Amino acid sequence: MYIRTSQAMREQVSRAAALSGQGVSEYVRDVLAREARRTIEAHETIAIAEGDRDAFIEAMRKPPAWPEHMKAKVRRYRERIASE
């Protein structure tokens, strides 16, 4: 992987790598991997408040009954699919 950086950024990265006791390549790999994991986690994780979490779990355990008009639509759909 090749990236273009300014001289100032190269110096900053070199200094940070030295302060962390790593070579530049190792430092950059570690930072990239850490940030990639953080970005993925941020986009794949949903955080909700405790009360909302409990309500969600309860709704999954005991979903509300479907309204009659929706049940009728499902019946008609199944009948139409079965007849094809």
Side-chain angles (χ1 to χ4, degrees):
M1 181 180 303
Y2 297 96
I3 59 172
R4 294 180 189 169
T5 62
S6 65
Q7 181 63 34
M9 181 178 277
R10 282 192 296 277
E11 290 169 2
Q12 187 177 29
V13 170
S14 293
R15 183 171 180 214
L19 289 169
S20 67
Q22 297 175 297
V24 172
S25 292
E26 182 181 13
Y27 177 79
V28 170
R29 278 193 308 268
D30 288 351
V31 170
L32 284 173
R34 183 172 49 250
E35 285 302 305
R37 283 190 301 272
R38 188 186 68 74
T39 300
I40 292 167
E41 183 178 302
H43 284 84
E44 292 181 347
T45 302
I46 299 172
I48 59 174
E50 187 174 337
D52 294 337
R53 181 201 64 213
D54 295 343
F56 175 78
I57 291 170
E58 187 62 22
M60 295 303 292
R61 287 184 181 148
K62 299 177 190 171
W66 283 29
E68 284 304 315
H69 73 280
M70 291 301 293
K71 290 180 184 178
K73 288 181 182 195
V74 170
R75 278 193 298 273
R76 284 194 303 273
Y77 173 77
R78 287 181 177 160
E79 289 168 0
R80 191 175 72 219
I81 295 300
S83 67
E84 290 182 2

